[in-house]
Amino acid sequence: MAGAYVAWLVIAVPVKKLLKLDICAICAAVSSTWLALLALYYAGYRIDPLMPAILMGQSVTGLMYMYERRVKKTKFRWPLAFRIFFPLGGTLLVYAAVSRRVAAESYGTAAVVAAAIVVLAIGVFVFGKFNKQVMGVIKKLEECCG
């Protein structure tokens, strides 16, 4: 991963200028490392799936915080729903990737998570605007990690 970090430091500057993309060398190094490890794992090499899983978890967390920063610049008022469910969905995807099985229970879990997001969003939208207590709890939860 250290080698990937140095490589991304060298690559990031020209890519930023050429494509006008803001590439974080640490994020790119972590992502490219777990992608390479996962490719080797699926190609049949003896790779402990714990290492790519840990790195993938770091990527899920980084993506969640990146998304949240972008959402705060918009008028979207409910990043809490994503703060709760983004890691859950990411965990499900990481598990499916390193366990080599995307079975019915994975799809079922994904459906439950999606339904919970919809229910939470509707509940907050319908009840949150009219109930100061609900809004107070939501504000405390949003401030918990932000």
Side-chain angles (χ1 to χ4, degrees), residues 51-116:
M51 185 51 73
I54 290 168
L55 296 170
M56 292 167 82
Q58 292 172 353
S59 292
V60 167
T61 303
L63 286 170
M64 181 187 71
Y65 284 123
M66 181 183 76
Y67 174 78
E68 192 171 301
R69 277 193 309 271
R70 290 186 183 196
V71 164
K72 285 183 179 181
K73 295 178 183 176
T74 68
K75 293 182 180 182
F76 184 66
R77 293 283 304 139
W78 307 108
L80 170 66
F82 294 98
R83 188 179 292 157
I84 292 170
F85 293 110
F86 197 96
L88 292 175
T91 300
L92 175 65
L93 290 173
V94 169
Y95 174 75
V98 298
S99 69
R100 290 187 178 184
R101 54 187 159 179
V102 181
E105 62 266 9
S106 297
Y107 290 118
T109 305
V112 169
V113 169

Side-chain angles (χ1 to χ4, degrees), residues 1-8 29:
M1 196 165 79
Y5 175 68
V6 171
W8 277 107

Side-chain angles (χ1 to χ4, degrees), residues 111-126:
V112 169
V113 169
I117 290 171
V118 169
V119 168
L120 178 67
I122 290 171
V124 166
F125 181 75
V126 171

